[in-house]
Amino acid sequence: MSEIKTIGVLTSGGDAPGMNAAVRAVVRRGLALGMKVYGIYKGYQGLIDGVEGEDIRELRAKDVSDTIQKGGTFLYTARCMAMMKPAGVKKAAETCHKYGIQGLVVIGGDGSYRGAEKLANEGINVVGVPGTIDLDIACSDYTIGFDTAVNTAMEAIDKVRDTSTSHERCSIIEVMGRHAGYIALWCGIANGAEDILLPEKYDYDEQKLIDNIIDNKRRGKRHHIIINAEGVGHSASMARRIEAATGIETRATILGYMQRGGVPTATDRVYASTMGCLAVDCLAAGKTKRVIAYKYGDFVDFDINEALKMEKEISEYQVLIARSLSHNYYKNEAEGRETED
Ligand code: F6P
Protein backbone atom coordinates (compact mmCIF):
# COMPACT_ATOMS: atom_id res chain seq x y z
CA MET A 1 0.00 0.00 0.00
CA SER A 2 1.11 3.52 -0.77
CA GLU A 3 2.31 5.92 1.92
CA ILE A 4 0.24 8.55 0.20
CA LYS A 5 -3.30 8.35 1.50
CA THR A 6 -4.75 11.64 0.32
CA ILE A 7 -4.19 13.49 -2.94
CA GLY A 8 -5.56 16.58 -4.64
CA VAL A 9 -5.99 17.43 -8.30
CA LEU A 10 -6.30 20.82 -9.97
CA THR A 11 -6.30 22.30 -13.46
CA SER A 12 -4.33 25.48 -14.02
CA GLY A 13 -3.64 28.03 -16.76
CA GLY A 14 -5.60 27.98 -20.01
CA ASP A 15 -8.20 25.22 -20.20
CA ALA A 16 -7.77 22.47 -22.78
CA PRO A 17 -10.10 19.78 -24.12
CA GLY A 18 -9.24 16.50 -22.41
CA MET A 19 -8.52 18.05 -19.01
CA ASN A 20 -11.72 16.46 -17.68
CA ALA A 21 -10.54 13.05 -18.86
CA ALA A 22 -7.27 13.61 -16.97
CA VAL A 23 -9.06 14.66 -13.76
CA ARG A 24 -11.40 11.68 -14.03
CA ALA A 25 -8.40 9.38 -14.39
CA VAL A 26 -6.67 10.89 -11.36
CA VAL A 27 -9.81 10.45 -9.26
CA ARG A 28 -10.58 6.90 -10.29
CA ARG A 29 -6.97 5.69 -10.24
CA GLY A 30 -6.50 7.29 -6.82
CA LEU A 31 -9.64 5.60 -5.49
CA ALA A 32 -8.53 2.28 -6.98
CA LEU A 33 -5.30 2.58 -5.00
CA GLY A 34 -7.22 3.27 -1.79
CA MET A 35 -6.58 7.02 -1.71
CA LYS A 36 -8.90 9.85 -0.75
CA VAL A 37 -9.07 12.39 -3.60
CA TYR A 38 -9.85 16.09 -3.35
CA GLY A 39 -10.78 18.21 -6.33
CA ILE A 40 -9.41 21.74 -6.07
CA TYR A 41 -11.47 24.33 -7.94
CA LYS A 42 -10.19 27.38 -9.86
CA GLY A 43 -6.59 26.17 -9.99
CA TYR A 44 -4.05 27.43 -7.46
CA GLN A 45 -6.46 30.18 -6.43
CA GLY A 46 -8.73 27.51 -4.96
CA LEU A 47 -5.80 26.08 -3.04
CA ILE A 48 -4.90 29.50 -1.69
CA ASP A 49 -8.50 30.34 -0.69
CA GLY A 50 -9.11 26.79 0.60
CA VAL A 51 -12.81 27.10 1.46
CA GLU A 52 -14.23 23.63 2.14
CA GLY A 53 -17.13 22.62 -0.08
CA GLU A 54 -16.41 25.54 -2.38
CA ASP A 55 -12.74 25.51 -3.38
CA ILE A 56 -11.98 22.00 -2.12
CA ARG A 57 -14.33 19.05 -2.45
CA GLU A 58 -13.80 15.36 -1.96
CA LEU A 59 -14.44 13.55 -5.25
CA ARG A 60 -15.84 10.04 -5.53
CA ALA A 61 -16.11 7.84 -8.58
CA LYS A 62 -19.59 9.05 -9.51
CA ASP A 63 -18.54 12.71 -9.28
CA VAL A 64 -16.50 12.25 -12.43
CA SER A 65 -19.17 10.31 -14.33
CA ASP A 66 -20.23 11.95 -17.57
CA THR A 67 -17.14 14.18 -17.77
CA ILE A 68 -14.79 12.38 -20.18
CA GLN A 69 -16.62 13.67 -23.25
CA LYS A 70 -16.90 17.28 -22.11
CA GLY A 71 -14.72 20.22 -23.12
CA GLY A 72 -13.37 22.78 -20.65
CA THR A 73 -12.55 21.72 -17.12
CA PHE A 74 -15.26 21.04 -14.56
CA LEU A 75 -12.73 21.98 -11.86
CA TYR A 76 -12.47 25.38 -13.55
CA THR A 77 -9.12 27.08 -13.93
CA ALA A 78 -7.28 30.34 -13.43
CA ARG A 79 -4.00 32.03 -14.11
CA CYS A 80 -3.04 32.69 -10.50
CA MET A 81 -0.66 35.62 -9.92
CA ALA A 82 -0.73 35.07 -6.14
CA MET A 83 1.05 31.74 -6.62
CA MET A 84 4.08 33.63 -7.95
CA LYS A 85 4.61 35.16 -4.51
CA PRO A 86 5.95 33.34 -1.42
CA ALA A 87 2.86 34.32 0.61
CA GLY A 88 0.58 32.61 -1.94
CA VAL A 89 2.70 29.46 -2.00
CA LYS A 90 2.68 29.36 1.82
CA LYS A 91 -1.12 29.64 1.93
CA ALA A 92 -1.50 26.94 -0.71
CA ALA A 93 0.78 24.63 1.28
CA GLU A 94 -1.16 25.38 4.47
CA THR A 95 -4.38 24.34 2.74
CA CYS A 96 -2.75 21.08 1.68
CA HIS A 97 -1.65 20.41 5.26
CA LYS A 98 -5.11 21.31 6.60
CA TYR A 99 -6.81 18.73 4.37
CA GLY A 100 -4.04 16.17 4.72
CA ILE A 101 -3.22 16.43 1.01
CA GLN A 102 0.16 14.72 0.70
CA GLY A 103 0.27 14.54 -3.09
CA LEU A 104 -0.97 16.97 -5.71
CA VAL A 105 -1.54 16.44 -9.43
CA VAL A 106 -1.29 19.70 -11.37
CA ILE A 107 -2.71 19.63 -14.89
CA GLY A 108 -1.45 22.60 -16.89
CA GLY A 109 1.50 24.13 -18.69
CA ASP A 110 5.01 25.27 -17.78
CA GLY A 111 3.75 28.14 -15.59
CA SER A 112 1.70 25.67 -13.56
CA TYR A 113 4.75 23.43 -13.13
CA ARG A 114 6.65 26.35 -11.62
CA GLY A 115 3.93 26.72 -8.99
CA ALA A 116 4.06 22.96 -8.38
CA GLU A 117 7.81 23.07 -7.87
CA LYS A 118 7.41 25.77 -5.21
CA LEU A 119 4.81 23.67 -3.42
CA ALA A 120 7.15 20.70 -3.50
CA ASN A 121 9.68 22.83 -1.65
CA GLU A 122 7.03 23.20 1.07
CA GLY A 123 6.84 19.42 1.48
CA ILE A 124 3.94 18.53 -0.84
CA ASN A 125 4.56 15.72 -3.31
CA VAL A 126 3.71 17.07 -6.75
CA VAL A 127 3.32 15.62 -10.23
CA GLY A 128 2.56 17.73 -13.31
CA VAL A 129 0.50 16.59 -16.28
CA PRO A 130 0.92 18.50 -19.57
CA GLY A 131 -2.35 20.27 -20.33
CA THR A 132 -2.26 22.98 -22.97
CA ILE A 133 -3.47 23.32 -26.54
CA ASP A 134 -0.15 24.95 -27.48
CA LEU A 135 2.06 21.78 -27.45
CA ASP A 136 4.79 24.01 -26.05
CA ILE A 137 5.97 21.80 -23.18
CA ALA A 138 9.54 20.88 -24.05
CA CYS A 139 9.73 17.49 -22.36
CA SER A 140 6.63 16.09 -24.06
CA ASP A 141 5.75 15.32 -27.67
CA TYR A 142 2.06 15.53 -26.73
CA THR A 143 0.03 17.89 -24.58
CA ILE A 144 -3.61 17.43 -23.62
CA GLY A 145 -5.88 19.49 -25.87
CA PHE A 146 -3.55 19.96 -28.82
CA ASP A 147 -5.22 17.31 -30.96
CA THR A 148 -8.73 18.69 -30.39
CA ALA A 149 -7.59 22.29 -30.94
CA VAL A 150 -5.91 21.40 -34.23
CA ASN A 151 -9.00 19.52 -35.41
CA THR A 152 -11.28 22.40 -34.42
CA ALA A 153 -9.08 24.93 -36.20
CA MET A 154 -8.73 22.67 -39.23
CA GLU A 155 -12.50 22.41 -39.65
CA ALA A 156 -12.90 26.17 -39.30
CA ILE A 157 -10.13 26.82 -41.83
CA ASP A 158 -11.78 24.45 -44.34
CA LYS A 159 -14.87 26.63 -44.07
CA VAL A 160 -12.97 29.87 -44.56
CA ARG A 161 -11.30 28.29 -47.56
CA ASP A 162 -14.70 27.56 -49.18
CA THR A 163 -15.70 31.18 -49.05
CA SER A 164 -12.23 32.37 -50.06
CA THR A 165 -12.43 30.23 -53.21
CA SER A 166 -15.93 31.50 -54.04
CA HIS A 167 -14.80 35.12 -53.78
CA GLU A 168 -11.26 34.66 -55.10
CA ARG A 169 -9.84 36.08 -51.93
CA CYS A 170 -6.70 35.77 -49.90
CA SER A 171 -7.38 34.78 -46.27
CA ILE A 172 -5.12 35.17 -43.31
CA ILE A 173 -6.31 32.88 -40.55
CA GLU A 174 -4.75 33.37 -37.14
CA VAL A 175 -4.52 30.40 -34.80
CA MET A 176 -3.52 30.23 -31.14
CA GLY A 177 -0.26 28.94 -29.71
CA ARG A 178 1.16 31.84 -27.69
CA HIS A 179 4.88 31.94 -28.66
CA ALA A 180 4.80 28.53 -30.36
CA GLY A 181 3.84 27.67 -33.93
CA TYR A 182 2.73 24.04 -33.53
CA ILE A 183 -0.99 24.61 -34.07
CA ALA A 184 -0.18 26.79 -37.09
CA LEU A 185 2.21 24.25 -38.57
CA TRP A 186 -0.18 21.33 -38.11
CA CYS A 187 -3.11 23.29 -39.53
CA GLY A 188 -0.94 24.50 -42.38
CA ILE A 189 -0.19 20.91 -43.35
CA ALA A 190 -3.69 19.56 -42.60
CA ASN A 191 -5.41 22.37 -44.50
CA GLY A 192 -2.94 22.51 -47.36
CA ALA A 193 -2.29 26.20 -46.77
CA GLU A 194 -0.36 28.21 -49.31
CA ASP A 195 1.67 29.95 -46.59
CA ILE A 196 2.33 29.29 -42.90
CA LEU A 197 3.79 31.99 -40.66
CA LEU A 198 5.48 30.58 -37.58
CA PRO A 199 7.09 32.66 -34.83
CA GLU A 200 10.03 30.24 -34.87
CA LYS A 201 10.63 30.70 -38.61
CA TYR A 202 8.98 33.80 -40.06
CA ASP A 203 11.53 36.22 -41.49
CA TYR A 204 9.03 39.12 -41.71
CA ASP A 205 9.74 39.44 -45.42
CA GLU A 206 6.25 40.57 -46.41
CA GLN A 207 7.32 41.27 -49.98
CA LYS A 208 8.08 37.56 -50.42
CA LEU A 209 4.57 36.79 -49.17
CA ILE A 210 3.08 39.33 -51.56
CA ASP A 211 5.06 37.90 -54.50
CA ASN A 212 3.77 34.42 -53.63
CA ILE A 213 0.18 35.59 -53.57
CA ILE A 214 0.52 37.28 -56.96
CA ASP A 215 2.33 34.25 -58.36
CA ASN A 216 -0.33 31.94 -57.01
CA LYS A 217 -3.09 33.99 -58.62
CA ARG A 218 -1.19 33.98 -61.91
CA ARG A 219 -1.16 30.18 -61.79
CA GLY A 220 -4.92 30.20 -61.55
CA LYS A 221 -5.51 29.50 -57.86
CA ARG A 222 -8.77 31.01 -56.66
CA HIS A 223 -7.72 31.35 -53.04
CA HIS A 224 -4.59 31.91 -51.02
CA ILE A 225 -4.72 30.64 -47.45
CA ILE A 226 -2.17 31.97 -45.00
CA ILE A 227 -2.12 30.35 -41.57
CA ASN A 228 -0.68 32.88 -39.19
CA ALA A 229 0.42 31.91 -35.69
CA GLU A 230 -0.63 34.05 -32.74
CA GLY A 231 3.07 34.56 -31.98
CA VAL A 232 3.43 36.41 -35.29
CA GLY A 233 0.03 38.13 -34.95
CA HIS A 234 -1.07 41.41 -36.55
CA SER A 235 -3.32 39.57 -39.03
CA ALA A 236 -5.71 42.49 -39.61
CA SER A 237 -3.01 45.02 -40.50
CA MET A 238 -1.19 42.40 -42.58
CA ALA A 239 -4.41 41.79 -44.54
CA ARG A 240 -4.76 45.51 -45.25
CA ARG A 241 -1.19 45.78 -46.49
CA ILE A 242 -1.48 42.66 -48.66
CA GLU A 243 -4.72 43.88 -50.24
CA ALA A 244 -3.13 47.26 -51.01
CA ALA A 245 -0.02 45.65 -52.52
CA THR A 246 -1.70 42.88 -54.53
CA GLY A 247 -5.09 44.32 -55.41
CA ILE A 248 -6.54 41.00 -54.22
CA GLU A 249 -9.30 41.20 -51.63
CA THR A 250 -7.79 39.96 -48.37
CA ARG A 251 -9.58 39.09 -45.15
CA ALA A 252 -8.28 38.29 -41.70
CA THR A 253 -10.00 35.75 -39.45
CA ILE A 254 -8.83 35.27 -35.88
CA LEU A 255 -10.12 31.92 -34.66
CA GLY A 256 -9.48 32.71 -30.99
CA TYR A 257 -11.01 30.89 -28.05
CA MET A 258 -13.13 28.47 -30.06
CA GLN A 259 -9.87 26.48 -30.32
CA ARG A 260 -9.85 25.93 -26.55
CA GLY A 261 -13.37 24.51 -26.29
CA GLY A 262 -15.34 21.59 -27.63
CA VAL A 263 -15.62 17.85 -27.35
CA PRO A 264 -12.17 16.26 -26.90
CA THR A 265 -10.99 13.88 -29.61
CA ALA A 266 -10.36 10.20 -28.85
CA THR A 267 -6.61 10.90 -28.81
CA ASP A 268 -6.99 13.61 -26.19
CA ARG A 269 -9.28 11.42 -24.06
CA VAL A 270 -7.00 8.38 -24.19
CA TYR A 271 -3.71 10.21 -23.67
CA ALA A 272 -5.20 12.33 -20.88
CA SER A 273 -6.58 9.22 -19.18
CA THR A 274 -3.21 7.48 -19.40
CA MET A 275 -1.30 10.50 -18.13
CA GLY A 276 -3.73 11.08 -15.26
CA CYS A 277 -3.29 7.47 -14.11
CA LEU A 278 0.49 7.62 -14.45
CA ALA A 279 0.60 10.78 -12.32
CA VAL A 280 -1.20 8.96 -9.50
CA ASP A 281 1.05 5.90 -9.92
CA CYS A 282 4.08 8.19 -9.55
CA LEU A 283 2.72 9.60 -6.30
CA ALA A 284 1.88 6.10 -5.08
CA ALA A 285 5.47 5.06 -5.82
CA GLY A 286 6.68 7.88 -3.58
CA LYS A 287 7.86 10.11 -6.41
CA THR A 288 7.66 13.89 -6.25
CA LYS A 289 8.67 16.88 -8.39
CA ARG A 290 7.89 14.86 -11.53
CA VAL A 291 6.10 15.72 -14.74
CA ILE A 292 4.40 13.19 -16.96
CA ALA A 293 5.38 13.25 -20.62
CA TYR A 294 4.89 11.39 -23.86
CA LYS A 295 8.31 10.94 -25.41
CA TYR A 296 9.38 8.82 -28.37
CA GLY A 297 6.15 6.82 -28.23
CA ASP A 298 6.18 6.12 -24.50
CA PHE A 299 4.56 7.57 -21.39
CA VAL A 300 7.35 8.58 -19.01
CA ASP A 301 8.08 10.96 -16.12
CA PHE A 302 10.81 13.57 -15.78
CA ASP A 303 12.20 15.63 -12.95
CA ILE A 304 10.31 18.92 -12.94
CA ASN A 305 13.48 21.06 -12.92
CA GLU A 306 15.00 19.13 -15.78
CA ALA A 307 11.74 19.39 -17.70
CA LEU A 308 11.61 23.16 -17.22
CA LYS A 309 15.16 23.54 -18.52
CA MET A 310 14.50 21.57 -21.70
CA GLU A 311 14.03 23.37 -24.99
CA LYS A 312 11.76 22.35 -27.80
CA GLU A 313 12.31 23.00 -31.45
CA ILE A 314 9.76 22.91 -34.17
CA SER A 315 10.35 20.02 -36.56
CA GLU A 316 12.55 21.24 -39.41
CA TYR A 317 11.29 18.34 -41.51
CA GLN A 318 7.63 19.27 -41.01
CA VAL A 319 8.44 22.87 -41.91
CA LEU A 320 10.21 21.63 -45.03
CA ILE A 321 7.37 19.37 -46.12
CA ALA A 322 4.78 22.08 -45.41
CA ARG A 323 6.61 24.27 -47.92
CA SER A 324 7.14 21.40 -50.31
CA LEU A 325 3.46 20.45 -50.35
CA SER A 326 2.15 23.96 -50.81
CA HIS A 327 1.44 24.58 -54.49
CA ASN A 328 3.09 27.96 -54.85
CA TYR A 329 6.26 26.85 -53.11
CA TYR A 330 6.54 23.71 -55.17
CA LYS A 331 10.17 23.33 -55.92
CA ASN A 332 12.17 20.93 -57.95
CA GLU A 333 14.52 20.17 -55.10
CA ALA A 334 16.86 18.07 -57.22
CA GLU A 335 17.58 20.97 -59.55
CA GLY A 336 17.00 23.69 -57.01
CA ARG A 337 14.63 25.66 -59.18
CA GLU A 338 10.98 26.71 -58.92
CA THR A 339 8.65 24.75 -61.19
CA GLU A 340 5.93 26.40 -63.19
CA ASP A 341 3.21 23.79 -62.88
O1 F6P B 1 -2.06 28.57 -23.56
C1 F6P B 1 -3.25 28.47 -24.26
C2 F6P B 1 -3.62 29.80 -24.85
O2 F6P B 1 -4.88 29.69 -25.47
C3 F6P B 1 -2.60 30.40 -25.81
O3 F6P B 1 -2.68 29.82 -27.08
C4 F6P B 1 -2.96 31.84 -25.75
O4 F6P B 1 -1.87 32.66 -26.09
C5 F6P B 1 -3.35 32.03 -24.32
O5 F6P B 1 -3.72 30.76 -23.83
C6 F6P B 1 -4.49 32.99 -24.06
O6 F6P B 1 -4.61 33.13 -22.68
P1 F6P B 1 -5.83 33.75 -21.92
O7 F6P B 1 -6.87 32.68 -21.77
O8 F6P B 1 -5.28 34.13 -20.59
O9 F6P B 1 -6.33 34.90 -22.74
Side-chain angles (χ1 to χ4, degrees):
M1 273 287 268
S2 162
E3 294 286 302
I4 303 274
K5 302 276 178 246
T6 304
I7 63 169
V9 55
L10 60 82
T11 50
S12 169
D15 63 348
M19 278 185 164
N20 285 329
V23 173
R24 172 180 175 272
V26 170
V27 172
R28 295 209 169 154
R29 184 70 182 150
L31 294 173
L33 297 179
M35 296 169 176
K36 184 174 185 176
V37 186
Y38 282 108
I40 294 139
Y41 290 73
K42 293 178 279 158
Y44 286 118
Q45 194 57 53
L47 206 53
I48 290 170
D49 297 341
V51 179
E52 183 154 21
E54 201 175 304
D55 303 307
I56 316 258
R57 292 177 220 167
E58 189 179 342
L59 295 176
R60 299 179 202 275
K62 69 171 171 39
D63 293 320
V64 290
S65 289
D66 204 25
T67 57
I68 196 167
Q69 81 284 13
K70 290 186 179 148
T73 159
F74 79 90
L75 287 181
Y76 312 126
T77 186
R79 299 195 192 278
C80 179
M81 295 306 145
M83 197 60 190
M84 305 217 188
K85 301 195 178 120
V89 176
K90 199 161 165 281
K91 281 202 82 183
E94 277 168 13
T95 304
C96 288
H97 295 314
K98 179 177 158 198
Y99 289 88
I101 295 171
Q102 302 155 291
L104 183 70
V105 177
V106 173
I107 305 164
D110 276 353
S112 311
Y113 293 172
R114 288 198 182 90
E117 194 206 359
K118 288 180 195 151
L119 265 182
N121 295 335
E122 298 290 322
I124 314 298
N125 290 5
V126 295
V127 178
V129 170
T132 166
I133 63 164
D134 300 336
L135 196 69
D136 61 349
I137 296 181
C139 69
S140 189
D141 297 337
Y142 162 85
T143 60
I144 295 168
F146 175 73
D147 189 61
T148 307
V150 167
N151 277 284
T152 301
M154 181 192 73
E155 284 174 22
I157 294 163
D158 280 344
K159 290 173 183 155
V160 176
R161 182 185 175 132
D162 288 346
T163 173
S164 298
T165 309
S166 304
H167 287 265
E168 277 195 80
R169 281 176 179 159
C170 170
S171 267
I172 304 175
I173 303 157
E174 188 171 311
V175 297
M176 274 189 166
R178 199 182 290 273
H179 307 299
Y182 299 102
I183 298 178
L185 178 59
W186 275 59
C187 285
I189 296 171
N191 292 97
E194 276 67 39
D195 276 295
I196 310 169
L197 310 183
L198 308 173
E200 297 89 343
K201 295 282 165 197
Y202 186 42
D203 57 7
Y204 293 87
D205 183 349
E206 213 162 274
Q207 191 54 50
K208 201 158 75 190
L209 205 56
I210 287 162
D211 292 345
N212 275 330
I213 295 164
I214 294 169
D215 202 35
N216 204 36
K217 180 90 167 174
R218 191 172 55 78
R219 292 175 191 193
K221 270 235 162 176
R222 292 186 61 88
H223 62 247
H224 191 105
I225 303 294
I226 302 170
I227 308 294
N228 187 26
E230 178 187 9
V232 173
H234 304 289
S235 298
S237 54
M238 202 187 288
R240 282 194 294 275
R241 287 193 299 273
I242 287 174
E243 180 164 314
T246 61
I248 297 166
E249 273 190 320
T250 303
R251 297 284 191 267
T253 305
I254 298 171
L255 295 185
Y257 291 93
M258 65 177 296
Q259 294 161 95
R260 289 239 296 258
V263 170
T265 60
T267 300
D268 273 329
R269 296 181 201 194
V270 174
Y271 280 48
S273 298
T274 311
M275 288 179 153
C277 286
L278 188 54
V280 177
D281 289 349
C282 278
L283 289 173
K287 293 187 183 181
T288 183
K289 280 200 189 187
R290 308 299 293 177
V291 291
I292 305 302
Y294 182 75
K295 202 76 190 159
Y296 307 127
D298 237 335
F299 293 95
V300 291
D301 57 284
F302 286 104
D303 175 79
I304 219 164
N305 288 313
E306 274 175 35
L308 285 170
K309 277 189 215 134
M310 289 180 191
E311 282 178 20
K312 193 174 201 175
E313 292 196 354
I314 206 138
S315 159
E316 291 290 341
Y317 186 65
Q318 281 188 314
V319 172
L320 174 91
I321 61 144
R323 281 177 63 89
S324 184
L325 297 177
S326 121
H327 179 83
N328 62 321
Y329 273 123
Y330 181 71
K331 210 169 181 198
N332 183 329
E333 286 176 23
E335 293 178 27
R337 62 175 173 79
E338 301 279 345
T339 60
E340 275 304 308
D341 51 349

